């Protein structure tokens, strides 16, 4: 009888983490930026059907990078979680914190018990009545949660993009300013850095943009497309 | 929801399984106890004593009218239990999604619950599929829900909604009526449901003109509700004393809008003024007579 290889738990976890990180870094980035009127989500995504940014509930949205089938699975579970909870209790009982906890437990369990971890990184954001009460949770492949303030970038070139956001973000930005910052940050990725000519431009039809709009009642999630998006991206607008 | 989350706090396996885009179908498998259809009642009248005993709050008038840009739906505010007014400010017209609304006639408790489930059903589909449900699809989903209530309807607890909305594909306002078995029928121009509907329908037949604008249509809807309240004890008129106005919703290509009370008040006052000393009202109110 052959003796099975011994792999230390430490090595096993490290290998899984490296594997997941590599998968995530391959995809395009998503940025989440808080502004005066809500929370803006933006990603470079030419697909009109395969979304990286979605509505979960009245004031809660979801953004993800990584493997589509894996985060889509989590997204659907999140919508079911929110709708079952909102229907059984009340709409105000659905919170980003509750959902982030459930995701964290789920991702953590998958990371430790299954041979292949999920190659995903997700953000669960809830827009508050005031910018101070906004909640943004970032979850990684192993189930760790971070409570973020102001902005988040994840996916490919996340470090370069985060650096740009850190330099330029300030509280109280207008929706249009936050969106322009988000797009500029998305364009400040490794490819732009290698070319050494500042951020590369991204056309409006290559963007997937949505906002959790604080000023709206009930369902606050709204996709920005077409002329509305072009208008917001125009510095004169 | 006794098994909504297991000990670890992770999302239950059922949530992560691929499956239907229907909330009702999902919950029926996962947690059927939260659904209204799971209940059965013993045969016979509801228990109780005193006036209104044995009768759940019901009766109503809902009117819906198609106009140039979409559809208007209006409902009175009275809930009755037998001879007693159970509530003076109940809401019977609900927004069901961005481009549709429903009015309820029948047993108030069950009807409100059905609409709540219907709202989640439409929203759930929209979120999972990333696209809006077609107008036909919405009308059919509501049919299914009414059919699910047939057992209770046979025991006297019927729910008969009226569904209306803006069909984005067809580019016009549409109205769908139902019978107690869930049978649906598309109604043209206007339709009414509830105990006062015969009177409201008569009024609509005389007042409706094709191609009315929103303001004219709202006025006609309020006139029809007035006529229903005038002759049906279970339909409430506008409560001038307490300033309780009918609930009026307007659905156009731009979406659903509940007409605010401040906007409704002068229209209600005009209706009342028009009836003073002239209970039948003036047939020329739409201002389109030759």
């Amino acid at each position: 009888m052959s003796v099975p290889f011994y792999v230390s738990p430490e090595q096993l976890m490290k290998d899984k983490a490296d594997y997941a990180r590599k998968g995530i870094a391959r995809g395009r980035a998503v940025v989440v930026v808080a502004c005066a009127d809500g929370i803006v989500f933006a990603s470079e995504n030419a697909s009109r059907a395969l979304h990286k940014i979605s509505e979960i509930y009245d004031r809660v949205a979801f953004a993800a990078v990584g493997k589509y089938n894996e985060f889509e699975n989590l997204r659907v579970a999140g919508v079911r979680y929110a709708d079952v909870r909102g229907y059984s209790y009340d709409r105000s009982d659905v919170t980003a914190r509750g959902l982030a906890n459930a995701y964290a437990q789920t991702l953590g369990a998958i990371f430790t018990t299954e041979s292949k971890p999920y190659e995903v990184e997700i953000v669960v954001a809830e827009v508050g009545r005031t910018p101070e009460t906004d909640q943004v949770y970032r979850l990684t492949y192993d189930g760790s949660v971070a409570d973020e303030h102001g902005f988040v970038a994840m996916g490919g070139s996340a470090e370069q993009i985060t650096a740009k956001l850190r330099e330029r973000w300030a509280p109280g930005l207008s929706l249009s300013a936050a969106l322009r910052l988000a797009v500029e940050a998305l364009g400040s990725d490794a490819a732009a850095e290698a070319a050494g000519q500042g951020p590369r431009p991204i056309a409006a039809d290559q963007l997937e943009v949505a906002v959790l709009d604080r000023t709206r009642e009930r369902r606050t999630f709204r996709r920005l497309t077409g002329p509305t998006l072009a208008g917001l991206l125009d510095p004169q607008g | 929801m006794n098994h909504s989350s297991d000990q670890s706090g992770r999302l239950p396996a059922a949530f992560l399984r691929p499956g239907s885009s229907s909330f009702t179908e999902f919950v029926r498998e996962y947690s059927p106890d939260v659904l209204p259809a799971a209940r059965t009642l013993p045969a016979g009248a509801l228990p109780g004593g005193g006036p209104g005993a044995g009768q759940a709050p019901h009766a109503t008038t809902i009117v819906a009218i198609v106009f140039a840009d979409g559809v208007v739906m209006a409902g009175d505010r009275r809930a009755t239990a037998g001879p007693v007014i159970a509530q003076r400010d109940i809401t019977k017209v609900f927004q069901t999604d961005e481009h549709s609304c429903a009015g309820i006639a029948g047993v108030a408790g069950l009807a409100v619950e059905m609409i709540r489930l219907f709202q989640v059903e439409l929203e759930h589909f929209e979120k999972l599929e990333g696209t809006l449900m077609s107008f036909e699809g919405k009308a059919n989903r509501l049919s299914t829900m009414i059919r699910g209530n047939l057992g209770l309807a046979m025991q006297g607890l019927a729910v008969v909604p009226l569904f209306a909305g803006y069909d984005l594909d067809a580019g016009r306002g549409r109205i769908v009526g139902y019978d107690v078995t869930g049978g649906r029928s598309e109604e043209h121009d206007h339709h009414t449901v509830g105990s006062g509907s015969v009177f409201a329908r008569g009024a609509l037949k005389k007042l409706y003109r094709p191609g009315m604008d929103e303001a004219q249509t709202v006025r006609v809807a309020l006139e029809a509700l007035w006529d229903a309240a005038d002759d049906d004890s279970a339909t409430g008129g506008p409560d001038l004393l307490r300033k309780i106005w009918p609930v009026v919703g307007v659905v156009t290509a731009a979406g659903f809008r509940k007409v605010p009370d401040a906007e409704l008040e002068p229209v209600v006052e005009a209706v009342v003024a028009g009836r003073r000393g002239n209970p039948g009202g003036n047939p020329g109110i739409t201002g389109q007579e030759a």
Side-chain angles (χ1 to χ4, degrees), chain B residues 10-36:
Chain B
R10 67 180 281 188
L11 292 163
F15 282 40
L16 292 152
R17 256 196 301 274
S20 147
S21 298
S22 162
F23 177 75
T24 317
E25 280 168 31
F26 173 73
V27 176
R28 191 175 296 135
E29 276 183 25
Y30 170 66
S31 183
D33 47 316
V34 306
L35 286 181

Side-chain angles (χ1 to χ4, degrees), chain B residues 57-72:
Chain B
H58 69 293
T60 256
T61 304
I62 306 287
V63 306
I65 310 170
V66 173
F67 73 107
D69 302 328
V71 62
V72 166

Side-chain angles (χ1 to χ4, degrees), chain A residues 123-205:
Chain A
V123 158
V124 176
E126 176 176 343
V127 71
R129 301 277 166 200
T130 60
E132 293 73 40
T133 53
D134 285 350
Q135 292 174 44
V136 178
Y137 299 100
R138 173 201 197 139
L139 293 116
T140 50
Y141 52 86
D142 60 354
S144 8
V145 196
D147 181 6
E148 305 277 356
H149 296 278
F151 55 85
V152 182
M154 53 188 184
S157 307
E159 275 168 36
Q160 288 96 323
I161 294 171
T162 306
K164 183 82 179 182
L165 289 168
R166 189 172 297 124
E167 184 186 306
R168 298 270 307 278
W169 185 83
L173 289 176
S174 71
L175 174 61
S176 160
L179 183 56
R180 286 200 304 272
L181 169 60
V183 174
E184 195 183 324
L186 282 175
S188 313
D189 56 6
E193 207 167 71
Q197 289 168 333
R200 64 194 169 85
I202 305 173
D205 63 355

